[in-house]
Amino acid sequence: MSTTITAIGTALSNSGISIIRISGKDSLNIVNKIFKSSSRLEPNHIIYGKIVNNGIFMDNVLVSYFKAPHSYTGEDICEINCHGGNEITKEILEIVLENGAVLAEPGEFSKRAFLNGKMDLSQAEAVINLINAKTKTESRIAANNLEGNLSKRIRSLREELIELMAKIEVSVDYPEYDYDEVEPTSVVPLLENKAREIQHIVDTYEQGKIIKDGVNVAILGKPNVGKSSLLNTLANYEKAIVTDIPGTTRDIVEETINLGNFVLNISDTAGIRDTDDIIEKIGVEKSLKILEEMDLVLYLINGEDGISKEDFEILSKIQNKGLKYITVINKMDKTRKEALNGILEELKNKGINEPVLISVQENSGIEELKDKIINMFDTSDLDYSHELIITNQRHKDLLKKSIGYINEAIDEVNKGQPIDIVSIYIKKASKTLGEIIGADVTQDVISKIFEKFCLGK
Ligand SMILES: Nc1nc2c(ncn2[C@@H]2O[C@H](COP(=O)(O)OP(=O)(O)OP(=O)(O)O)[C@@H](O)[C@H]2O)c(=O)[nH]1
Ligand SMILES: [Mg+2]
């Protein structure tokens, strides 16, 4: 980290101020070459002056200075607050570059903060989550993790495993001393306990993901059952084309709405049927393919036409994938009572969830449908200011991997293996937990994480 980096830290648009950040050992030198003021720059101070380049006055600015190691990156940092015009901001950045700084890569300030021990990896990831947060809840969770809530838990879990390993190693490596050899079965309760605690954190991911990304929901069903009509009603405007011609929707139509305290990412799909029309066929294939990414499927049946073999085929596909789904019977305004009873009976016999009855045309049953979705995914009773919630897939995957190793350690005990074999898996579990906070990560992982940051952070 011998270079001094710079980037614009604010969004480039006309605004009150823009900030150009400079980090590295030459920060102060560079600024002193272009900044003229009646006062001297002191650490932790911000002073007023002007940027002058080759004798030309450029802008009135405020410059702050943070001396290493007491700064965001742990290096010397200067920040120039200039007027927030696109041109002047870019010009000052150019001048800083001409005077010896190099352009920072996305996330490089935070990467340096991590490498200099100013924050751990999960905290750095919380920074990007805070920047990208779309809801208040998401911001609170990111802020908690930035404060180190996740780090603290991971550290304490890891320390307990390391302590156990130390006890085992002492008893194995120094038998001449009077340490009792650790009996393999004696470590099982602690391991089981840790696996449970980690699983508890993993379980928060489902809610965390909903808070962060919303609920992905697909409206599926045969052609002409009213899928696009339902999308339009939920969205409150005519997003998708609706006609009485089966096969109207060809490609996936997406819309995002707020429901309860989360976001619904709705995909209206092409009605599923066997067709020779090549474009419609591709649409039908897409409808089935997107199931992979869905948290919920609304399966629509046209009550007027009744339920068919194809409906059951698709419903059983949804069930086999273990997806959450709601069966919806639409066009209740046109559905006769006996026909409805027949459909209800058939659904019951096939073990399919009890349907919600709606008529998009008459706007009936829609609120009931919404309530049902809210109840399925509601996170309002979540105490996110106290509870630890994870929203990063990387964290979830590593936590699950560490549970896997703990379970392997328990298996070795059950197989009657000696304690030093058991210890190998405990070590792997602790190493895996370490990757979450960046204690045991490769350069590749670090680069991948910081690439996702924006420029200037
Ligand atoms: N009577 C009645 N007609 C409805 C209702 N909902 C939708 N329709 C009509 O059914 C027809 C088909 O509606 P769409 O929303 O285009 O159906 P779709 O499922 O998207 O059809 P595809 O895109 O072809 O798969 C249109 O003429 C709608 O006006 C309803 O609740 N009652
Ligand atoms: Mg449609």
Side-chain angles (χ1 to χ4, degrees):
M1 286 179 285
S2 57
T3 54
T4 295
I5 51 169
T6 184
I8 300 166
T10 42
L12 259 188
S13 64
N14 295 352
S15 60
I17 60 160
S18 287
I19 300 176
I20 294 128
R21 305 180 104 182
I22 311 162
S23 177
K25 61 180 174 18
D26 289 333
S27 301
L28 191 60
N29 257 342
I30 292 170
V31 166
N32 279 335
K33 283 195 241 174
I34 58 173
F35 176 60
K36 308 290 166 225
S37 173
S38 51
S39 337
R40 236 170 66 96
L41 266 171
E42 301 286 347
N44 300 324
H45 281 71
I46 187 160
I47 61 170
Y48 178 73
K50 43 183 83 168
I51 297 289
V52 178
N53 185 35
N54 295 327
I56 300 169
F57 164 74
M58 306 296 296
D59 194 6
N60 287 324
V61 297
L62 286 168
V63 173
S64 57
Y65 169 42
F66 303 92
K67 194 170 164 47
H70 305 293
S71 73
Y72 180 71
T73 56
E75 304 172 332
D76 277 357
I77 286 190
C78 288
E79 289 185 354
I80 303 172
N81 296 231
C82 63
H83 285 106
N86 277 350
E87 276 317 305
I88 186 61
T89 310
K90 282 194 272 183
E91 271 182 298
I92 294 176
L93 177 74
E94 296 266 308
I95 298 168
V96 172
L97 288 168
E98 279 162 20
N99 280 281
V102 293
L103 196 62
E105 286 170 12
E108 199 173 352
F109 290 89
S110 301
K111 185 174 174 182
R112 289 185 174 200
F114 162 65
L115 293 173
N116 289 327
K118 300 299 287 187
M119 56 171 108
D120 71 31
L121 205 49
S122 69
Q123 287 173 306
E125 287 170 303
V127 171
I128 181 128
N129 287 346
L130 192 59
I131 290 173
N132 293 338
K134 294 178 292 298
T135 60
K136 269 188 200 163
T137 319
E138 212 184 325
S139 301
R140 289 294 80 72
I141 292 174
N144 284 346
N145 288 341
L146 182 58
E147 276 279 277
N149 277 7
L150 176 62
S151 315
K152 270 185 233 143
R153 276 297 288 284
I154 300 298
R155 268 176 228 284
S156 102
L157 283 162
R158 200 164 164 255
E159 265 158 32
E160 285 177 83
L161 293 178
I162 290 172
E163 235 169 68
L164 180 62
M165 263 161 20
K167 221 164 104 188
I168 294 170
E169 269 163 38
V170 162
S171 76
V172 172
D173 294 349
Y174 304 99
E176 65 274 26
Y177 291 101
D178 207 12
Y179 295 113
D180 285 339
E181 167 121 2
V182 175
E183 175 58 39
T185 50
S186 73
V187 301
V188 171
L190 184 121
L191 291 179
E192 281 176 346
N193 205 347
K194 292 307 118 191
R196 256 196 308 275
E197 278 181 41
I198 299 171
Q199 184 60 47
H200 184 72
I201 307 175
V202 171
D203 290 342
T204 66
Y205 179 74
E206 205 176 320
Q207 279 178 311
K209 190 178 159 286
I210 287 163
I211 290 164
K212 188 159 164 245
D213 304 326
V215 176
N216 294 334
V217 44
I219 309 179
L220 234 66
K222 292 198 303 182
N224 221 31
V225 295
K227 297 180 295 298
S228 302
S229 309
L230 177 62
L231 172 80
N232 292 349
T233 292
L234 292 172
N236 250 332
Y237 78 103
E238 301 300 307
K239 166 85 185 184
I241 300 169
V242 167
T243 75
D244 57 2
I245 306 161
T248 300
T249 307
R250 300 298 184 91
D251 214 338
I252 291 165
V253 182
E254 290 171 335
E255 182 62 34
T256 294
I257 65 158
N258 282 312
L259 193 65
N261 62 350
F262 54 85
V263 163
L264 264 195
N265 308 307
I266 313 173
S267 300
D268 170 30
T269 64
I272 299 170
R273 65 169 169 183
D274 254 338
T275 171
D276 292 331
D277 182 312
I278 187 146
I279 299 169
E280 196 184 345
K281 215 181 173 89
I282 296 170
V284 171
E285 277 162 20
K286 273 195 184 179
S287 304
L288 290 168
K289 196 150 177 259
I290 62 158
L291 284 182
E292 310 294 331
E293 302 145 31
M294 292 300 132
D295 302 305
L296 173 69
V297 177
L298 301 182
Y299 191 80
L300 250 68
I301 295 164
N302 179 350
E304 190 185 5
D305 294 349
I307 194 159
S308 69
K309 201 170 113 258
E310 289 90 11
D311 286 318
F312 285 120
E313 273 170 18
I314 309 163
L315 275 163
S316 82
K317 237 183 213 144
I318 295 166
Q319 282 178 317
N320 290 341
K321 282 185 189 291
L323 282 165
K324 285 189 175 147
Y325 68 97
I326 300 175
T327 325
V328 182
I329 300 180
N330 186 31
K331 306 200 187 183
M332 281 304 292
D333 54 291
K334 286 265 185 80
T335 306
R336 283 178 305 111
K337 187 127 196 331
E338 312 81 74
L340 176 66
N341 287 339
I343 299 173
L344 294 179
E345 185 77 29
E346 280 191 85
L347 289 174
K348 203 169 169 188
N349 290 341
K350 290 263 171 37
I352 290 161
N353 293 351
E354 202 181 318
V356 178
L357 312 179
I358 66 167
S359 162
V360 176
Q361 187 163 296
E362 295 187 339
N363 201 25
S364 68
I366 305 295
E367 286 310 310
E368 197 191 331
L369 179 61
K370 283 186 187 169
D371 284 347
K372 194 151 186 168
I373 300 172
I374 291 173
N375 286 335
M376 274 174 138
F377 295 97
D378 193 32
T379 53
S380 58
D381 59 350
L382 208 65
D383 181 6
Y384 48 80
S385 53
H386 290 99
E387 256 182 87
L388 177 65
I389 296 158
I390 55 165
T391 55
N392 281 37
Q393 172 138 17
R394 190 184 80 87
H395 300 162
K396 184 194 78 169
D397 292 346
L398 288 169
L399 289 166
K400 280 177 89 168
K401 201 166 148 194
S402 70
I403 296 174
Y405 286 133
I406 293 176
N407 288 337
E408 281 189 66
I410 297 171
D411 281 351
E412 295 300 322
V413 174
N414 293 338
K415 279 193 249 161
Q417 293 284 9
I419 192 71
D420 46 346
I421 301 287
V422 177
S423 172
I424 293 172
Y425 293 100
I426 303 176
K427 193 171 188 166
K428 283 187 177 182
S430 126
K431 196 166 180 288
T432 308
L433 288 177
E435 286 178 43
I436 296 174
I437 49 175
D440 262 309
V441 279
T442 61
Q443 279 303 320
D444 283 357
V445 172
I446 295 172
S447 304
K448 258 207 192 89
I449 290 170
F450 288 100
E451 268 165 19
K452 288 185 238 151
F453 275 58
C454 41
L455 214 65
K457 189 62 223 176

